Amino acid sequence: MSLPCLRPPSAESAGEFRLDLFPPATPQVVGVLRRLLRDMLGSVGLDHDAPCLILSELVTNALVHGGGAPAVVLELRDGRLYITVSDASPVPVVRRAPDTARTGGRGLDLVDALADEWGVELIGSYGKAVWAISAVSV
């Protein structure tokens, strides 16, 4: 599957939004982005738990493994939240084999469990984008 088609919200799409963000590559940005998404979804009366966890994991992975500042797109339309986090590293995303002794490396397992769909796309010579789609409800 390829990246979800993102588009600017139309005038008649009340309660929908799109944010294109280019945050600094600092550990603090994970919490800032999570709170921003929580507040945006809360402002239109939608549950934010799963989408905020997905966003946190994708941004953390981009910061740890991505080779530079991430770019983040958040788009709410038709009851679904589209999250895309791109980074400058062309290194493919690899899910580790399950291991109960490991203390880290479970982020993509969490994304897989919470997202309706997710995937990874290479972005030419720039790097890659990891995207996830999450249904949001009242």
Side-chain angles (χ1 to χ4, degrees):
M1 181 170 200
S2 62
L3 284 168
C5 177
L6 300 176
R7 62 168 176 76
S10 62
E12 61 271 358
S13 60
E16 295 188 355
F17 61 80
R18 177 186 166 127
L19 300 172
D20 294 83
L21 305 166
F22 303 93
T26 64
Q28 296 83 2
V29 80
V30 177
V32 170
L33 292 173
R34 187 176 51 243
R35 287 186 294 277
L36 174 67
L37 180 58
R38 179 199 63 205
D39 292 347
M40 291 294 295
L41 292 174
S43 73
V44 291
L46 298 173
D47 181 40
H48 54 76
D49 290 337
C52 285
L53 284 170
I54 293 167
L55 176 63
S56 293
E57 293 300 332
L58 296 183
V59 172
T60 298
N61 282 349
L63 291 172
V64 172
H65 306 291
V72 178
V73 177
L74 302 170
E75 182 179 5
L76 175 65
R77 66 177 151 91
D78 301 325
R80 298 178 77 170
L81 182 70
Y82 297 81
I83 302 168
T84 304
V85 179
S86 56
D87 63 52
S89 174
V91 177
V93 172
V94 177
R95 284 179 67 187
R96 296 182 186 177
D99 180 357
T100 57
R102 157 175 109 213
T103 59
R106 295 189 177 114
L108 290 177
D109 293 335
L110 184 59
V111 170
D112 187 57
L114 294 173
D116 296 327
E117 299 175 51
W118 74 278
V120 181
E121 299 292 327
L122 295 179
I123 307 173
S125 62
Y126 176 73
K128 67 182 167 302
V130 183
W131 57 269
I133 302 171
S134 177
V136 287
S137 59
V138 177

